[in-house]
Amino acid sequence: LAADRHDVDALIAAGLASLDLDDIDAAIGFLGRAQELSPQNPRIAEGMGAAYVRSGRPVDAIRFFEQADKSGISNSSLWADRGLAYDLVGQNATAQDAYRRALSLKDENSVRQRLALSYAIAGNREAFEEELRPLLEERDYNAYRTRAFGLAVLGQADEALEIARAVMPRDLAGRMEPCLRFMPRLTKSQQAAAANLGLYPSATRIGRDDPRIASA
Protein backbone atom coordinates (compact mmCIF):
# COMPACT_ATOMS: atom_id res chain seq x y z
CA LEU A 1 0.00 0.00 0.00
CA ALA A 2 2.94 2.34 0.63
CA ALA A 3 4.10 1.67 -2.92
CA ASP A 4 0.63 1.85 -4.49
CA ARG A 5 -2.38 2.98 -2.48
CA HIS A 6 -4.65 1.86 -5.34
CA ASP A 7 -3.56 -1.80 -5.13
CA VAL A 8 -6.91 -3.57 -4.76
CA ASP A 9 -5.40 -6.93 -3.76
CA ALA A 10 -3.35 -5.26 -1.04
CA LEU A 11 -6.40 -3.40 0.26
CA ILE A 12 -8.40 -6.66 0.40
CA ALA A 13 -5.53 -8.40 2.22
CA ALA A 14 -5.33 -5.52 4.70
CA GLY A 15 -9.10 -5.69 5.26
CA LEU A 16 -9.06 -9.44 5.90
CA ALA A 17 -6.03 -9.12 8.20
CA SER A 18 -7.91 -6.45 10.17
CA LEU A 19 -10.84 -8.88 10.52
CA ASP A 20 -8.45 -11.47 11.94
CA LEU A 21 -7.43 -8.86 14.54
CA ASP A 22 -11.08 -7.95 15.25
CA ASP A 23 -10.37 -4.37 14.15
CA ILE A 24 -13.70 -3.92 12.39
CA ASP A 25 -13.37 -0.20 11.70
CA ALA A 26 -10.03 -0.74 9.96
CA ALA A 27 -11.45 -3.68 7.97
CA ILE A 28 -14.37 -1.58 6.71
CA GLY A 29 -11.97 1.23 5.87
CA PHE A 30 -9.62 -0.92 3.80
CA LEU A 31 -12.41 -2.87 2.10
CA GLY A 32 -14.40 0.28 1.46
CA ARG A 33 -11.43 1.83 -0.34
CA ALA A 34 -11.05 -1.36 -2.36
CA GLN A 35 -14.74 -1.28 -3.26
CA GLU A 36 -14.44 2.27 -4.59
CA LEU A 37 -11.74 1.02 -6.96
CA SER A 38 -13.40 -2.29 -7.86
CA PRO A 39 -17.16 -2.06 -7.13
CA GLN A 40 -18.12 -5.50 -8.48
CA ASN A 41 -15.29 -7.49 -6.86
CA PRO A 42 -16.95 -10.42 -5.02
CA ARG A 43 -13.97 -10.89 -2.68
CA ILE A 44 -14.58 -7.40 -1.37
CA ALA A 45 -18.30 -8.08 -0.96
CA GLU A 46 -17.66 -11.15 1.13
CA GLY A 47 -15.13 -9.34 3.32
CA MET A 48 -17.57 -6.46 3.82
CA GLY A 49 -20.23 -9.00 4.79
CA ALA A 50 -17.99 -10.39 7.52
CA ALA A 51 -17.17 -6.91 8.79
CA TYR A 52 -20.80 -5.81 8.87
CA VAL A 53 -22.03 -8.89 10.71
CA ARG A 54 -19.40 -8.43 13.42
CA SER A 55 -20.54 -4.85 13.89
CA GLY A 56 -24.15 -5.98 14.38
CA ARG A 57 -25.52 -5.15 10.91
CA PRO A 58 -26.65 -8.58 9.66
CA VAL A 59 -29.11 -7.42 6.99
CA ASP A 60 -26.36 -5.49 5.19
CA ALA A 61 -23.99 -8.41 5.74
CA ILE A 62 -26.34 -10.90 4.09
CA ARG A 63 -26.72 -8.58 1.11
CA PHE A 64 -22.94 -8.56 0.66
CA PHE A 65 -22.69 -12.35 1.08
CA GLU A 66 -25.40 -12.88 -1.54
CA GLN A 67 -23.56 -10.55 -3.90
CA ALA A 68 -20.42 -12.68 -3.48
CA ASP A 69 -22.42 -15.88 -4.02
CA LYS A 70 -23.72 -14.67 -7.39
CA SER A 71 -20.11 -14.54 -8.57
CA GLY A 72 -19.31 -18.01 -7.28
CA ILE A 73 -16.83 -16.70 -4.72
CA SER A 74 -16.59 -18.21 -1.25
CA ASN A 75 -13.77 -17.69 1.25
CA SER A 76 -13.80 -20.74 3.50
CA SER A 77 -12.65 -18.73 6.52
CA LEU A 78 -15.78 -16.55 6.40
CA TRP A 79 -18.48 -19.24 6.56
CA ALA A 80 -18.74 -18.77 10.32
CA ASP A 81 -19.52 -15.09 9.76
CA ARG A 82 -22.22 -16.08 7.29
CA GLY A 83 -23.70 -18.33 9.96
CA LEU A 84 -23.75 -15.54 12.50
CA ALA A 85 -25.42 -13.19 10.00
CA TYR A 86 -28.30 -15.63 9.59
CA ASP A 87 -28.58 -16.24 13.35
CA LEU A 88 -28.82 -12.46 13.81
CA VAL A 89 -31.94 -12.37 11.62
CA GLY A 90 -33.50 -15.45 13.24
CA GLN A 91 -32.76 -17.91 10.40
CA ASN A 92 -31.25 -20.58 12.63
CA ALA A 93 -31.41 -23.55 10.25
CA THR A 94 -29.57 -21.62 7.53
CA ALA A 95 -27.06 -20.43 10.13
CA GLN A 96 -26.41 -23.99 11.29
CA ASP A 97 -25.73 -25.12 7.72
CA ALA A 98 -23.13 -22.36 7.38
CA TYR A 99 -21.45 -23.24 10.68
CA ARG A 100 -21.24 -26.90 9.69
CA ARG A 101 -19.71 -25.84 6.35
CA ALA A 102 -17.12 -23.81 8.25
CA LEU A 103 -16.34 -26.74 10.56
CA SER A 104 -15.94 -29.13 7.62
CA LEU A 105 -13.17 -26.85 6.35
CA LYS A 106 -11.55 -26.04 9.70
CA ASP A 107 -12.50 -27.30 13.15
CA GLU A 108 -12.53 -24.30 15.50
CA ASN A 109 -13.88 -24.17 19.05
CA SER A 110 -15.34 -20.70 18.53
CA VAL A 111 -17.42 -21.94 15.59
CA ARG A 112 -18.65 -24.95 17.56
CA GLN A 113 -19.76 -22.58 20.31
CA ARG A 114 -21.70 -20.46 17.80
CA LEU A 115 -23.31 -23.62 16.42
CA ALA A 116 -24.25 -24.78 19.91
CA LEU A 117 -25.84 -21.41 20.68
CA SER A 118 -27.76 -21.55 17.42
CA TYR A 119 -29.18 -24.92 18.45
CA ALA A 120 -30.20 -23.47 21.83
CA ILE A 121 -31.89 -20.48 20.20
CA ALA A 122 -33.77 -22.89 17.93
CA GLY A 123 -34.92 -24.80 21.02
CA ASN A 124 -32.85 -27.94 20.38
CA ARG A 125 -31.31 -28.62 23.79
CA GLU A 126 -30.06 -32.09 22.88
CA ALA A 127 -27.98 -30.81 19.94
CA PHE A 128 -26.83 -27.82 22.03
CA GLU A 129 -25.50 -30.08 24.79
CA GLU A 130 -23.97 -32.57 22.36
CA GLU A 131 -22.04 -29.86 20.49
CA LEU A 132 -20.59 -28.39 23.69
CA ARG A 133 -19.76 -31.63 25.51
CA PRO A 134 -16.25 -32.16 24.02
CA LEU A 135 -15.29 -28.55 24.74
CA LEU A 136 -16.54 -28.76 28.32
CA GLU A 137 -14.52 -31.93 28.82
CA GLU A 138 -11.46 -29.93 27.73
CA ARG A 139 -12.31 -27.29 30.39
CA ASP A 140 -12.70 -24.62 27.72
CA TYR A 141 -13.67 -21.45 29.63
CA ASN A 142 -15.55 -19.95 26.70
CA ALA A 143 -17.57 -23.15 26.35
CA TYR A 144 -18.82 -22.70 29.93
CA ARG A 145 -19.86 -19.14 29.07
CA THR A 146 -21.64 -20.44 25.97
CA ARG A 147 -23.44 -23.07 28.01
CA ALA A 148 -24.61 -20.45 30.49
CA PHE A 149 -26.08 -18.32 27.71
CA GLY A 150 -27.60 -21.33 25.98
CA LEU A 151 -29.29 -22.55 29.14
CA ALA A 152 -30.61 -19.05 29.79
CA VAL A 153 -32.07 -18.96 26.28
CA LEU A 154 -33.73 -22.30 26.98
CA GLY A 155 -35.34 -20.88 30.13
CA GLN A 156 -32.97 -22.49 32.62
CA ALA A 157 -31.75 -19.27 34.26
CA ASP A 158 -30.95 -20.81 37.65
CA GLU A 159 -28.77 -23.48 36.06
CA ALA A 160 -27.11 -20.83 33.89
CA LEU A 161 -26.34 -18.70 36.94
CA GLU A 162 -24.79 -21.65 38.74
CA ILE A 163 -22.32 -21.98 35.87
CA ALA A 164 -21.63 -18.24 35.79
CA ARG A 165 -20.92 -18.17 39.53
CA ALA A 166 -18.66 -21.20 39.28
CA VAL A 167 -16.42 -19.96 36.47
CA MET A 168 -16.58 -16.14 36.67
CA PRO A 169 -15.41 -13.63 39.28
CA ARG A 170 -18.21 -12.84 41.71
CA ASP A 171 -18.77 -9.25 40.55
CA LEU A 172 -18.90 -10.29 36.89
CA ALA A 173 -21.32 -13.13 37.63
CA GLY A 174 -23.49 -10.64 39.53
CA ARG A 175 -23.59 -8.28 36.56
CA MET A 176 -24.48 -11.21 34.30
CA GLU A 177 -27.52 -12.26 36.34
CA PRO A 178 -30.09 -9.79 34.91
CA CYS A 179 -28.80 -10.45 31.38
CA LEU A 180 -29.23 -14.20 31.76
CA ARG A 181 -32.64 -13.92 33.38
CA PHE A 182 -34.23 -11.90 30.58
CA MET A 183 -32.77 -13.95 27.71
CA PRO A 184 -36.05 -15.91 27.19
CA ARG A 185 -37.89 -12.60 26.66
CA LEU A 186 -35.72 -11.65 23.70
CA THR A 187 -36.43 -12.51 20.08
CA LYS A 188 -34.21 -15.11 18.44
CA SER A 189 -32.18 -12.44 16.68
CA GLN A 190 -31.77 -10.49 19.94
CA GLN A 191 -30.64 -13.65 21.72
CA ALA A 192 -28.00 -14.26 19.05
CA ALA A 193 -26.77 -10.66 19.27
CA ALA A 194 -26.57 -10.77 23.07
CA ALA A 195 -24.82 -14.14 23.31
CA ASN A 196 -22.41 -13.72 20.38
CA LEU A 197 -21.72 -9.99 20.26
CA GLY A 198 -22.69 -8.70 23.69
CA LEU A 199 -25.30 -6.43 22.09
CA TYR A 200 -28.46 -6.07 24.17
CA PRO A 201 -31.65 -4.26 23.17
CA SER A 202 -32.89 -1.23 25.07
CA ALA A 203 -35.69 -1.85 27.55
CA THR A 204 -38.29 -0.62 25.08
CA ARG A 205 -37.05 -3.00 22.36
CA ILE A 206 -37.00 -6.23 24.40
CA GLY A 207 -38.91 -8.87 22.45
CA ARG A 208 -39.38 -6.57 19.44
CA ASP A 209 -37.11 -6.84 16.42
CA ASP A 210 -35.95 -3.89 14.38
CA PRO A 211 -38.22 -3.75 11.28
CA ARG A 212 -35.31 -4.49 8.91
CA ILE A 213 -34.39 -7.62 10.84
CA ALA A 214 -38.03 -8.69 11.12
CA SER A 215 -38.43 -8.37 7.34
CA ALA A 216 -35.34 -10.52 6.81
Side-chain angles (χ1 to χ4, degrees):
L1 288 173
D4 179 4
R5 63 192 182 91
H6 296 111
D7 186 328
V8 171
D9 288 336
L11 287 165
I12 294 172
L16 295 178
S18 297
L19 283 176
D20 286 340
L21 296 170
D22 285 327
D23 189 342
I24 308 307
D25 290 340
I28 291 175
F30 285 123
L31 292 167
R33 285 165 57 192
Q35 191 173 46
E36 291 174 2
L37 297 167
S38 182
Q40 303 304 316
N41 190 316
R43 293 169 59 213
I44 300 170
E46 190 172 44
M48 288 291 278
Y52 273 66
V53 72
R54 296 189 203 183
S55 60
R57 297 169 63 181
V59 176
D60 295 314
I62 290 171
R63 176 171 55 83
F64 279 118
F65 285 135
E66 289 176 347
Q67 181 182 330
D69 282 342
K70 289 176 182 177
S71 301
I73 294 293
S74 177
N75 184 333
S76 62
S77 66
L78 299 182
W79 272 103
D81 290 296
R82 290 174 179 243
L84 181 55
Y86 284 108
D87 264 339
L88 289 171
V89 297
Q91 295 186 32
N92 303 124
T94 304
Q96 291 155 22
D97 287 341
Y99 293 138
R100 285 191 287 266
R101 177 84 174 262
L103 289 168
S104 72
L105 298 166
K106 185 178 181 181
D107 194 340
E108 293 186 88
N109 287 1
S110 60
V111 182
R112 290 202 173 278
Q113 288 158 23
R114 284 188 187 179
L115 176 58
L117 274 171
S118 185
Y119 284 135
I121 292 168
N124 188 341
R125 178 163 182 171
E126 183 178 355
F128 160 69
E129 298 278 16
E130 185 65 26
E131 199 63 45
L132 279 184
R133 186 172 293 111
L135 304 184
L136 295 172
E137 291 173 351
E138 295 173 4
R139 303 291 181 182
D140 184 313
Y141 171 83
N142 288 321
Y144 284 104
R145 177 190 177 280
T146 299
R147 188 160 189 265
F149 270 103
L151 288 171
V153 166
L154 291 163
Q156 306 297 315
D158 290 339
E159 195 174 346
L161 283 166
E162 284 182 17
I163 295 171
R165 291 166 182 154
V167 301
M168 296 178 181
R170 181 178 297 179
D171 60 334
L172 179 58
R175 292 199 300 272
M176 288 285 292
E177 180 169 354
C179 302
L180 293 173
R181 288 202 181 279
F182 72 60
M183 287 295 281
R185 296 171 54 197
L186 304 182
T187 67
K188 289 184 177 183
S189 62
Q190 289 174 341
Q191 289 170 342
N196 287 289
L197 300 175
L199 299 177
Y200 296 87
S202 65
T204 59
R205 299 298 307 180
I206 289 176
R208 295 171 55 224
D209 278 326
D210 177 277
R212 292 187 71 205
I213 288 178
S215 68

